[in-house]
């Protein structure tokens, strides 16, 4: 069953009279229980996409259908009751935790807003959740600055999950954490997903995290999806030159090769290149690429790519290279 169905979604920001098109025509389906990753360099529009899905940034056009309900134009109480089912975990929980409120107050507030339980019941729910995310009961009366980065992310997870959502948008939930702590938080998220049948839209610029965590991957470049593929297809035969560049730029856990940074700079979303948006940085670009924007098309079961020359992309030249003696 599809939990999320997104059609031609647009969202952006006003900048000096112009509109910055941060999300510029995104369509995808997400199945219930799936972990769908969204990857791309910083500035590609991943966070704006996550926020537009939850209506935290207003979409300017397009449609978001969540659990069969078109939520694109919901307002007031109807929007509030849907929001309860869609929650967000942020990269920097500290920035989203009020420093003057105790953890107990922070975690109780959403329950009050949504009219869940009486005083005693809310306290019980919060204590139960603190325990589940691995925080001591005494955290209830402590303040955000008394916690480490990893603990603060546990608080952010507790806050998102207290409302028993179906869909959680995890926006770079471990990017600000040390490697050893990252694994703990990812394991916690994986366990909670299993227990509660959650669906995760998992935003990350880090492909090593996505490799570990995702069922399926959307690759985003300058507001558009350029490739959509199952986990295996994406890592075994990436087809868009940008996907291949992202994989080559990520640290290789097997250390068979040094990371190769992506050539050129990400153009600003306020000055989108004509034709294929990746053409100024693409090693395979032709005249056609500079003129015509490629549409997303299916090239294999479960794999779609927006590239005029996707069939010509040599596969596995870097990522599958094995040591000579192996
Ligand atoms: N609140 C905002 N106001 C104006 N521009 C923004 C805002 N948030 C993001 N942007 C711009 O929108 C584009 C996409 O940003 P973002 O969605 O944060 O990308 P990502 O999460 O992939 O790094 C960038 O050009 C960024 O500068
Ligand atoms: S359409 Fe052309 S420029 Fe764009 S990714 Fe494909 S080959 Fe490169
Ligand atoms: Mg972001």
């Amino acid at each position: 069953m599809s939990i999320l169905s997104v059609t031609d979604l647009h969202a952006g920001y006003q900048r000096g009279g112009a509109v910055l098109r941060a999300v510029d025509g995104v369509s995808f389906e997400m199945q219930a229980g799936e972990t769908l990753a969204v990857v791309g360099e910083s500035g590609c529009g991943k966070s704006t996409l996550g926020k537009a899905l939850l209506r935290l940034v207003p979409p300017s056009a397009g449609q978001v259908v969540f659990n069969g309900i078109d939520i694109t134009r919901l307002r007031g109480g109807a929007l509030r009751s849907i929001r309860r089912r869609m929650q967000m975990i942020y990269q920097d929980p500290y920035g989203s935790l009020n420093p003057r409120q105790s953890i107990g107050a922070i975690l109780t507030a959403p329950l009050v807003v949504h009219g869940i339980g009486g005083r005693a019941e809310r306290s019980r729910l919060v204590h139960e959740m603190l325990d589940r995310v691995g925080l001591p009961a005494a955290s209830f009366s402590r303040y955000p600055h008394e916690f480490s980065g990893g603990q603060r992310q546990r608080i952010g997870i507790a806050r998102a999950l207290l409302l028993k959502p179906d869909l959680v948008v995890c926006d770079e939930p471990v990017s600000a954490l040390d490697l050893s702590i990252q694994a703990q938080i990812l394991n916690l998220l994986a366990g909670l997903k299993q227990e509660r049948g959650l669906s995760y839209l998992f935003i990350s610029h880090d492909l090593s995290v996505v490799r570990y965590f995702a069922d399926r991957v959307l690759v985003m470049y300058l507001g558009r999806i350029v490739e959509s593929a199952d986990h295996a297809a994406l890592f075994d035969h990436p087809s868009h030159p940008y996907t291949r560049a992202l994989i080559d730029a990520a640290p290789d856990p097997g250390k068979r090769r040094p990371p190769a940074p992506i050539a050129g700079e990400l153009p600003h979303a306020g000055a989108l290149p004509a034709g294929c948006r990746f053409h100024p940085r693409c090693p395979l670009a032709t005249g056609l690429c500079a003129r015509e924007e490629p549409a997303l098309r299916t090239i294999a079961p479960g794999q779609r790519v927006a590239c005029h020359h996707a069939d010509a992309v040599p596969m596995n030249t870097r990522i599958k290279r094995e040591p000579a003696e192996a």
Side-chain angles (χ1 to χ4, degrees), residues 177-185:
L177 305 175
D178 293 344
L179 267 184
S180 59
I181 311 289
Q182 288 194 6
Q184 292 173 13
I185 297 295

Side-chain angles (χ1 to χ4, degrees), residues 84-255:
R84 183 177 159 187
R85 314 238 67 100
M86 316 170 84
Q87 290 290 312
M88 190 138 174
I89 296 171
Y90 296 90
Q91 172 174 353
D92 171 22
Y94 198 50
S96 64
L97 300 176
N98 184 341
R100 283 178 298 277
Q101 282 191 322
S102 69
I103 304 311
I106 289 171
L107 295 181
T108 305
L111 298 174
V112 174
V113 168
H114 289 278
I116 298 168
R119 215 183 141 84
E121 169 72 355
R122 290 197 286 259
S123 168
R124 188 187 66 77
L125 288 170
V126 169
H127 278 98
E128 207 176 84
M129 184 56 76
L130 282 172
D131 183 54
R132 178 59 191 93
V133 300
L135 290 170
S139 310
F140 195 90
S141 48
R142 299 236 151 86
Y143 288 79
H145 73 267
E146 299 178 66
F147 294 87
S148 68
Q151 289 172 324
R152 289 201 285 255
Q153 194 53 287
R154 290 176 194 271
I155 298 166
I157 292 169
R159 178 174 56 181
L161 294 194
L162 264 167
L163 291 170
K164 299 200 184 342
D166 302 318
L167 172 69
V168 183
V169 173
C170 308
D171 190 357
E172 311 250 15
V174 299
S175 299
L177 305 175
D178 293 344
L179 267 184
S180 59
I181 311 289
Q182 288 194 6
Q184 292 173 13
I185 297 295
L186 290 172
N187 285 336
L188 174 63
L189 286 171
L192 287 164
K193 173 174 188 277
Q194 190 116 57
E195 271 166 45
R196 293 162 183 247
L198 299 169
S199 307
Y200 286 153
L201 187 88
F202 193 91
I203 296 173
S204 182
H205 71 278
D206 183 345
L207 278 171
S208 58
V209 171
V210 169
R211 192 187 275 271
Y212 165 79
F213 214 67
D215 299 317
R216 209 154 57 83
V217 183
L218 303 176
V219 181
M220 204 167 167
Y221 189 72
L222 287 176
R224 294 251 162 125
I225 290 169
V226 296
E227 181 156 6
S228 140
D230 297 339
H231 180 283
L234 192 98
F235 289 102
D236 292 347
H237 40 94
S239 287
H240 195 284
Y242 181 61
T243 310
R244 298 183 45 76
L246 278 179
I247 291 174
D248 286 349
D252 177 4
K255 300 232 171 29

Side-chain angles (χ1 to χ4, degrees), residues 41-48 51 91 171-172 203:
E41 288 161 286
S42 175
C44 278
K46 306 181 299 295
S47 294
T48 306
K51 288 177 187 161
Q91 172 174 353
D171 190 357
E172 311 250 15
I203 296 173

